[in-house]
Amino acid sequence: MTDTRDFDRETAVTRKPGEPSVYDTELHGSWKVGMGVNGGLLLSVAGRALAAELGAGPDGHPDPFAISAYYLSTSTPGPATVSVETLRRGRTVSTGAASLIQTDEDGVPVERLRAMATFGDLDDQTDDIRTSAKPPQLPPPEECVGTESAPAEFRAQSPLLSRVELRLDPATVGWAVGAPSGKGEIRGWFRLPEGREPDPLLLLLAADILPPVSFDLGIYGWAPTLELTVHVRAKPAPGWLRVVHSTRNFAGGYLEEDAEIWDSADRLVAQSRQLARVRLPE
Amino acid sequence: MTDTRDFDRETAVTRKPGEPSVYDTELHGSWKVGMGVNGGLLLSVAGRALAAELGAGPDGHPDPFAISAYYLSTSTPGPATVSVETLRRGRTVSTGAASLIQTDEDGVPVERLRAMATFGDLDDQTDDIRTSAKPPQLPPPEECVGTESAPAEFRAQSPLLSRVELRLDPATVGWAVGAPSGKGEIRGWFRLPEGREPDPLLLLLAADILPPVSFDLGIYGWAPTLELTVHVRAKPAPGWLRVVHSTRNFAGGYLEEDAEIWDSADRLVAQSRQLARVRLPE
């Protein structure tokens, strides 16, 4: 059987004829997790429309340096449009905003997310790297826990799990058997099963692909994202990515979730933070 | 001599007659640092306009939970307008966007920053606090280094320094005498000299009030902010705030700068992250 999974095709945007800066896209049901389409996938789609706009031309800025999304309503599989507004075109970086919109069953447009981003050219950055963060130590992927080990019921709710190769450090999956560490950290390997190598757009997906870090605190509820910001700091080398989710401030029914994404060359290629709401069991 | 400093007056916004959701404000020259008006002050102004819009009415959401700003051009002292767009009005939270605009010398409108934010009511949050982060240990304010110790030349470029009371941990000011620690951390006490107690709006200022953390890496250049996101997690208790700036990934001419803001009751009341460009000495 041919592997028909294709991240690029399923995040593609096409310019809407006659409407400048408006792009059509189709959200694929296989990227659903729980109620809606995965927030990182939506960020990749918005990022692609922003790249089409800000990256165009010889002086264009093709790579996201910083991108922030505010999630407004639950995205559903099906058609969507992304409208891009260029806010500033500069020499080193350019900034834009993007609005992802779907129509509800009555044909009324509903905004799913609004994003802002500053794009540049990662190849233009200096070679001076003084990262003091240390790469995470994980057992090799073959000794980690794959999504195929997830309970059938959970897999059924999360078709997304079959779209990605995700292998979690056994030291951070105690929550899956009712023994969360309480530390607020989940580590794992991530790549696409179709063999497509990582690039800046894939890092936007990777920033929100691990299970909610609240699971490691023993909170198993849905953790909807209010806001997610990703800083892409370098083009990732080919191969597996390592993603570390952590939180230090679970309070008042909300938590921050930080992600660090490391590539196969031990470079910290992206950092992200989100604010998520967590529902405590009654 | 009366203390005429007044954060509230100088971040005030007034509804523009006949233009719904547009606010007038006046950026005060005393909030300048280096070339332009301080980014945290601008975020407070944008936050105030968003609060006027999203916080209105009995079901309004008065407090910023998450706010992100993308800085587009250098703000100058003088009049400015803030246009607010309500993106979604929800039961628990509401989301909006704000655009801060000034006119240049030719009368052409120039956007200074675009912000997005989700507002809620901090008093509605649960009492369940499981913060694992530890409050920073600093010597008492009277044993820390005040801005009055900054070189006269630096103070002349940064009138902002006389608007705030900032007392830095001596362990993190080696850079001021040419001996940066290299750790990438600056800690300090912060309050307003006029005695006004902290609230969520002041936290937006506090997130960008310390010197750039790059100073502690021995990089003394200007570090303009591309993007700044603040999560306000609780209303601060009266008294001094403690602010910790840190970075882990100075690379390629950019760095992330994280801030944690702790109140006098040892509560982690805000977290922020920004992406800044750093210019290395030639």
Side-chain angles (χ1 to χ4, degrees):
Chain A
M1 193 180 121
T2 320
D3 193 340
T4 56
R5 294 173 287 202
D6 191 329
F7 170 77
D8 291 305
R9 194 180 59 224
E10 297 181 0
T11 54
V13 298
T14 54
R15 208 175 280 273
K16 213 177 173 75
E19 294 192 46
S21 309
V22 180
Y23 298 82
D24 281 314
T25 190
E26 179 86 22
L27 303 178
H28 208 269
S30 67
W31 290 102
K32 269 183 77 171
V33 54
M35 297 289 289
V37 177
N38 171 263
L41 192 278
L42 299 174
L43 196 62
S44 301
V45 170
R48 219 181 259 285
L50 283 156
E53 201 77 11
L54 303 175
D59 300 323
H61 295 123
D63 304 313
F65 280 18
I67 182 166
S68 304
Y70 281 68
Y71 294 89
L72 300 166
S73 57
T74 306
S75 296
T76 51
T81 61
V82 186
S83 299
V84 178
E85 178 188 7
T86 298
L87 303 180
R88 177 179 174 268
R89 210 170 270 284
R91 200 167 46 82
T92 318
V93 294
S94 295
T95 301
S99 166
L100 192 147
I101 291 168
Q102 295 190 299
T103 47
D104 68 11
E105 52 272 31
D106 302 321
V108 178
V110 181
E111 190 165 13
R112 299 307 191 197
L113 74 83
R114 180 76 63 100
M116 278 190 304
T118 289
F119 274 59
D121 190 336
L122 287 167
D123 293 332
D124 284 347
Q125 294 194 354
T126 69
D127 293 331
D128 189 20
I129 298 161
R130 310 190 200 176
T131 304
S132 59
K134 298 278 170 262
Q137 301 302 317
L138 283 80
E142 58 276 14
E143 294 172 22
C144 286
V145 182
T147 52
E148 69 279 2
S149 313
E153 185 196 357
F154 191 73
R155 289 172 58 85
Q157 284 174 25
S158 303
L160 165 79
L161 293 181
S162 66
R163 294 307 310 268
V164 296
E165 248 188 290
L166 200 59
R167 305 194 70 83
L168 302 182
D169 185 339
T172 65
V173 292
W175 48 267
V177 291
S181 83
K183 286 184 197 160
E185 184 170 314
I186 297 181
R187 297 184 292 266
W189 298 92
F190 166 70
R191 67 178 180 191
L192 289 181
E194 63 260 38
R196 180 210 190 268
E197 294 295 354
D199 66 357
L201 269 183
L202 191 67
L203 297 179
L204 306 185
L205 175 66
D208 195 37
I209 204 70
L210 258 54
V213 71
S214 41
F215 285 8
D216 191 46
L217 299 173
I219 314 291
Y220 298 113
W222 181 236
T225 304
L226 277 70
E227 178 269 336
L228 168 62
T229 295
V230 185
H231 296 171
V232 176
R233 300 298 303 279
K235 288 187 176 173
W240 285 100
L241 298 169
R242 281 158 295 170
V243 186
V244 181
H245 272 196
S246 61
T247 187
R248 295 159 48 84
N249 193 18
F250 169 38
Y254 293 82
L255 58 71
E256 102 285 19
E257 179 170 81
D258 285 2
E260 285 190 356
I261 308 178
W262 293 79
D263 72 3
S264 61
D266 272 355
R267 176 92 189 255
L268 178 50
V269 291
Q271 291 164 283
S272 73
R273 176 173 287 170
Q274 63 172 267
L275 183 67
R277 188 184 305 161
V278 274
R279 287 221 188 79
L280 296 172
E282 299 289 316
Chain B
M1 192 179 120
T2 321
D3 192 341
T4 55
R5 295 173 286 202
D6 190 330
F7 170 78
D8 290 305
R9 193 182 59 223
E10 296 181 0
T11 54
V13 298
T14 53
R15 208 174 282 271
K16 212 178 172 75
E19 293 191 47
S21 307
V22 180
Y23 298 82
D24 281 315
T25 189
E26 179 87 20
L27 302 179
H28 208 268
S30 67
W31 289 101
K32 269 183 78 173
V33 55
M35 298 287 290
V37 177
N38 172 265
L41 192 277
L42 299 174
L43 197 62
S44 301
V45 170
R48 218 181 261 283
L50 283 155
E53 201 77 10
L54 303 175
D59 299 325
H61 295 122
D63 303 313
F65 279 19
I67 182 165
S68 302
Y70 282 68
Y71 294 89
L72 301 166
S73 58
T74 306
S75 296
T76 52
T81 61
V82 186
S83 299
V84 178
E85 180 188 5
T86 297
L87 303 180
R88 177 179 173 270
R89 210 170 269 283
R91 199 168 46 85
T92 319
V93 293
S94 294
T95 301
S99 168
L100 192 146
I101 291 169
Q102 294 190 300
T103 48
D104 68 12
E105 52 272 33
D106 303 321
V108 179
V110 181
E111 189 166 10
R112 299 306 191 199
L113 74 83
R114 180 76 64 99
M116 278 189 304
T118 288
F119 274 59
D121 189 337
L122 287 166
D123 292 331
D124 283 348
Q125 293 195 355
T126 68
D127 294 330
D128 189 19
I129 299 161
R130 309 190 201 176
T131 305
S132 60
K134 298 277 171 261
Q137 301 300 318
L138 282 82
E142 57 276 16
E143 293 172 23
C144 287
V145 183
T147 52
E148 68 280 1
S149 314
E153 185 194 357
F154 191 74
R155 287 172 58 87
Q157 284 173 25
S158 303
L160 165 78
L161 294 181
S162 66
R163 295 306 311 267
V164 296
E165 245 187 295
L166 201 60
R167 305 194 70 83
L168 303 181
D169 186 338
T172 66
V173 292
W175 48 268
V177 291
S181 84
K183 286 185 196 160
E185 185 170 315
I186 297 181
R187 297 184 292 267
W189 298 93
F190 166 71
R191 68 178 179 188
L192 289 181
E194 63 260 39
R196 181 213 190 264
E197 294 295 354
D199 66 358
L201 269 184
L202 191 67
L203 297 178
L204 306 186
L205 173 67
D208 195 36
I209 204 71
L210 259 54
V213 72
S214 41
F215 285 8
D216 191 47
L217 299 173
I219 316 290
Y220 298 112
W222 181 236
T225 304
L226 278 69
E227 177 269 335
L228 168 63
T229 296
V230 184
H231 295 170
V232 175
R233 301 297 303 279
K235 289 189 176 171
W240 285 99
L241 298 169
R242 280 158 295 169
V243 186
V244 181
H245 273 196
S246 61
T247 187
R248 295 158 49 85
N249 193 19
F250 170 37
Y254 293 81
L255 58 72
E256 103 283 16
E257 180 171 84
D258 285 1
E260 285 190 355
I261 307 177
W262 294 80
D263 72 4
S264 62
D266 272 354
R267 177 92 190 256
L268 178 49
V269 291
Q271 290 164 284
S272 74
R273 176 173 287 171
Q274 62 172 270
L275 183 66
R277 188 185 303 161
V278 273
R279 288 220 188 80
L280 295 172
E282 299 290 318

